[in-house]
Coordinates of all heavy atoms in Angstrom, one line a residue:
R728 N -45.1 -72.9 -22.0 CA -45.4 -74.3 -21.8 C -46.5 -74.5 -20.8 O -46.9 -73.6 -20.1 CB -44.1 -75.0 -21.3 CG -42.9 -74.8 -22.2 CD -41.8 -75.8 -22.0 NE -40.7 -75.4 -22.8 CZ -40.6 -75.6 -24.1 NH1 -41.6 -76.2 -24.7 NH2 -39.5 -75.2 -24.7
R729 N -47.0 -75.7 -20.8 CA -48.1 -76.1 -19.9 C -47.7 -75.8 -18.4 O -48.5 -75.2 -17.7 CB -48.4 -77.6 -20.1 CG -49.6 -78.1 -19.3 CD -49.9 -79.5 -19.7 NE -51.0 -80.0 -19.0 CZ -51.0 -80.5 -17.7 NH1 -49.9 -80.6 -17.0 NH2 -52.2 -80.9 -17.2
S730 N -46.5 -76.1 -18.1 CA -46.1 -75.8 -16.7 C -46.1 -74.4 -16.3 O -46.2 -74.0 -15.1 CB -44.7 -76.4 -16.5 OG -43.7 -75.8 -17.4
Q731 N -46.0 -73.5 -17.3 CA -46.0 -72.0 -16.9 C -47.4 -71.5 -16.5 O -47.5 -70.4 -16.0 CB -45.5 -71.2 -18.2 CG -44.0 -71.4 -18.4 CD -43.2 -70.9 -17.2 OE1 -43.2 -69.7 -16.9 NE2 -42.6 -71.8 -16.5
W733 N -48.6 -72.8 -14.1 CA -48.4 -72.8 -12.6 C -47.2 -71.8 -12.3 O -47.4 -70.9 -11.5 CB -47.9 -74.2 -12.2 CG -49.0 -75.2 -12.0 CD1 -49.6 -75.6 -10.9 CD2 -49.6 -76.0 -13.1 NE1 -50.5 -76.6 -11.1 CE2 -50.5 -76.9 -12.4 CE3 -49.4 -76.1 -14.4 CZ2 -51.2 -77.9 -13.1 CZ3 -50.1 -77.1 -15.2 CH2 -51.1 -77.9 -14.5
F734 N -46.1 -72.0 -12.9 CA -44.9 -71.4 -12.5 C -44.6 -70.0 -13.1 O -43.8 -69.2 -12.6 CB -43.6 -72.2 -12.8 CG -43.7 -73.6 -12.2 CD1 -43.2 -74.7 -12.8 CD2 -44.2 -73.8 -10.9 CE1 -43.2 -76.0 -12.2 CE2 -44.3 -75.0 -10.3 CZ -43.7 -76.1 -10.9
P762 N -38.6 -77.0 -19.9 CA -39.6 -78.1 -19.8 C -39.5 -78.8 -18.5 O -38.5 -79.1 -18.0 CB -39.1 -79.0 -20.9 CG -38.3 -78.2 -21.9 CD -37.7 -77.1 -21.0
V763 N -40.7 -78.9 -17.9 CA -40.8 -79.7 -16.6 C -41.2 -81.1 -17.0 O -42.2 -81.4 -17.7 CB -41.9 -79.1 -15.7 CG1 -42.1 -79.9 -14.5 CG2 -41.6 -77.7 -15.4
I764 N -40.3 -82.0 -16.6 CA -40.4 -83.5 -16.9 C -40.9 -84.2 -15.7 O -40.2 -84.3 -14.7 CB -39.1 -84.0 -17.4 CG1 -38.6 -83.2 -18.6 CG2 -39.3 -85.5 -17.8 CD1 -39.5 -83.1 -19.8
G765 N -42.1 -84.9 -15.8 CA -42.5 -85.7 -14.7 C -42.0 -87.1 -14.9 O -42.0 -87.7 -16.0
I766 N -41.3 -87.6 -13.9 CA -40.8 -89.0 -13.9 C -41.8 -89.9 -13.1 O -41.9 -89.8 -11.9 CB -39.4 -89.1 -13.3 CG1 -38.5 -88.1 -14.1 CG2 -38.9 -90.5 -13.3 CD1 -37.1 -88.0 -13.5
C767 N -42.6 -90.6 -13.8 CA -43.7 -91.4 -13.2 C -43.1 -92.8 -12.8 O -42.7 -93.6 -13.6 CB -44.7 -91.6 -14.3 SG -46.2 -92.5 -13.8
F797 N -36.3 -79.7 -16.3 CA -36.6 -79.6 -14.8 C -37.3 -80.9 -14.4 O -38.5 -81.0 -14.6 CB -37.4 -78.3 -14.6 CG -37.8 -78.1 -13.1 CD1 -37.4 -78.9 -12.1 CD2 -38.8 -77.1 -12.9 CE1 -37.8 -78.6 -10.8 CE2 -39.2 -76.8 -11.6 CZ -38.7 -77.6 -10.5
L799 N -39.1 -83.7 -12.1 CA -39.8 -83.9 -10.9 C -40.4 -85.3 -10.9 O -41.3 -85.6 -11.7 CB -41.0 -82.8 -10.8 CG -40.5 -81.4 -10.5 CD1 -41.7 -80.4 -10.7 CD2 -39.9 -81.2 -9.2
E800 N -39.9 -86.1 -9.9 CA -40.4 -87.5 -9.8 C -41.6 -87.5 -9.0 O -41.8 -86.9 -8.0 CB -39.2 -88.2 -9.1 CG -39.5 -89.7 -9.0 CD -38.3 -90.4 -8.3 OE1 -37.3 -89.8 -8.0 OE2 -38.5 -91.6 -7.9
F801 N -42.6 -88.4 -9.4 CA -43.8 -88.6 -8.6 C -44.2 -90.1 -8.6 O -43.9 -90.8 -9.6 CB -44.9 -87.8 -9.1 CG -45.4 -88.1 -10.5 CD1 -46.5 -88.9 -10.8 CD2 -44.7 -87.5 -11.7 CE1 -46.9 -89.2 -12.0 CE2 -45.2 -87.8 -12.9 CZ -46.3 -88.6 -13.1
V826 N -52.2 -92.6 -13.0 CA -51.3 -92.0 -13.9 C -51.9 -90.8 -14.6 O -51.3 -89.7 -14.7 CB -50.7 -93.1 -14.9 CG1 -49.9 -92.4 -15.9 CG2 -50.0 -94.2 -14.2
S829 N -52.7 -87.9 -12.2 CA -51.5 -87.3 -11.7 C -50.8 -86.4 -12.7 O -50.3 -85.4 -12.4 CB -50.5 -88.4 -11.2 OG -51.1 -89.1 -10.1
I830 N -50.7 -86.9 -13.9 CA -50.1 -86.1 -15.0 C -50.9 -84.8 -15.3 O -50.3 -83.7 -15.3 CB -49.9 -86.9 -16.3 CG1 -48.9 -88.1 -16.1 CG2 -49.5 -86.0 -17.4 CD1 -48.9 -89.0 -17.2
R831 N -52.2 -85.0 -15.5 CA -53.0 -83.9 -15.8 C -53.1 -82.8 -14.7 O -53.2 -81.6 -15.0 CB -54.4 -84.3 -16.2 CG -55.3 -83.2 -16.8 CD -56.7 -83.7 -17.1 NE -56.7 -84.6 -18.2 CZ -57.0 -85.9 -18.1 NH1 -57.4 -86.4 -16.9 NH2 -56.9 -86.7 -19.1
A832 N -53.1 -83.2 -13.5 CA -53.3 -82.3 -12.4 C -52.0 -81.5 -12.0 O -52.1 -80.6 -11.2 CB -53.8 -83.1 -11.1
N833 N -50.9 -81.9 -12.6 CA -49.6 -81.3 -12.1 C -48.9 -80.5 -13.2 O -49.2 -80.7 -14.4 CB -48.7 -82.4 -11.6 CG -49.1 -82.8 -10.2 OD1 -49.0 -82.1 -9.2 ND2 -49.6 -84.1 -10.1
P834 N -48.0 -79.6 -12.9 CA -47.3 -78.8 -13.9 C -46.2 -79.6 -14.6 O -45.0 -79.5 -14.4 CB -46.6 -77.7 -13.0 CG -46.4 -78.4 -11.7 CD -47.6 -79.3 -11.5
I835 N -46.7 -80.4 -15.6 CA -45.8 -81.3 -16.3 C -46.0 -81.1 -17.8 O -47.1 -80.9 -18.3 CB -46.2 -82.8 -16.0 CG1 -45.9 -83.1 -14.5 CG2 -45.6 -83.8 -16.9 CD1 -46.4 -84.5 -14.1
D836 N -44.8 -81.0 -18.5 CA -44.8 -80.8 -20.0 C -44.5 -82.1 -20.7 O -44.8 -82.2 -21.9 CB -43.7 -79.7 -20.3 CG -44.0 -78.4 -19.6 OD1 -45.2 -77.9 -19.7 OD2 -43.1 -77.8 -19.0
G837 N -43.8 -83.0 -20.1 CA -43.4 -84.2 -20.7 C -43.2 -85.3 -19.6 O -43.0 -84.9 -18.5
V838 N -43.3 -86.6 -20.0 CA -43.3 -87.6 -19.0 C -42.4 -88.7 -19.4 O -42.3 -89.2 -20.6 CB -44.7 -88.2 -18.9 CG1 -44.8 -89.2 -17.8 CG2 -45.8 -87.1 -18.8
V839 N -41.7 -89.3 -18.4 CA -40.9 -90.5 -18.5 C -41.6 -91.5 -17.7 O -41.8 -91.3 -16.5 CB -39.4 -90.3 -18.0 CG1 -38.7 -91.7 -18.1 CG2 -38.7 -89.2 -18.8
V858 N -53.8 -88.5 -21.6 CA -53.4 -87.1 -21.5 C -52.7 -86.7 -22.7 O -52.9 -85.5 -23.2 CB -52.5 -87.0 -20.3 CG1 -52.1 -85.5 -20.0 CG2 -53.1 -87.6 -19.0
L860 N -49.3 -86.2 -23.7 CA -48.2 -85.3 -23.7 C -47.0 -86.0 -24.3 O -47.0 -87.2 -24.5 CB -47.8 -84.9 -22.3 CG -48.8 -83.9 -21.5 CD1 -48.3 -83.7 -20.1 CD2 -48.9 -82.6 -22.2
P861 N -45.9 -85.3 -24.6 CA -44.7 -86.0 -25.0 C -44.3 -87.0 -24.0 O -44.2 -86.6 -22.8 CB -43.7 -84.8 -25.2 CG -44.5 -83.6 -25.6 CD -45.8 -83.8 -24.8
V965 N -40.3 -82.6 -25.9 CA -41.1 -81.5 -25.5 C -40.9 -80.3 -26.4 O -41.9 -79.7 -26.9 CB -40.9 -81.1 -24.0 CG1 -41.6 -79.8 -23.7 CG2 -41.3 -82.2 -23.1
S1286 N -54.8 -82.7 -22.1 CA -53.9 -82.2 -21.2 C -54.3 -80.7 -20.7 O -53.5 -80.0 -20.3 CB -52.5 -82.1 -21.7 OG -52.4 -81.4 -22.9
V1288 N -55.4 -77.6 -18.7 CA -55.1 -77.3 -17.3 C -56.4 -76.8 -16.6 O -57.1 -76.0 -17.1 CB -54.1 -76.1 -17.3 CG1 -53.8 -75.7 -15.8 CG2 -52.8 -76.6 -17.9

Side-chain angles (χ1 to χ4, degrees):
R728 306 200 185 282
R729 185 175 182 275
S730 58
Q731 287 299 291
W733 281 262
F734 301 145
V763 177
I764 306 301
I766 303 174
C767 182
F797 176 9
L799 289 170
E800 182 181 352
F801 64 97
V826 173
S829 292
I830 294 172
R831 185 180 297 113
N833 283 291
I835 292 172
D836 301 311
V838 187
V839 180
V858 186
L860 290 175
V965 172
S1286 58
V1288 177

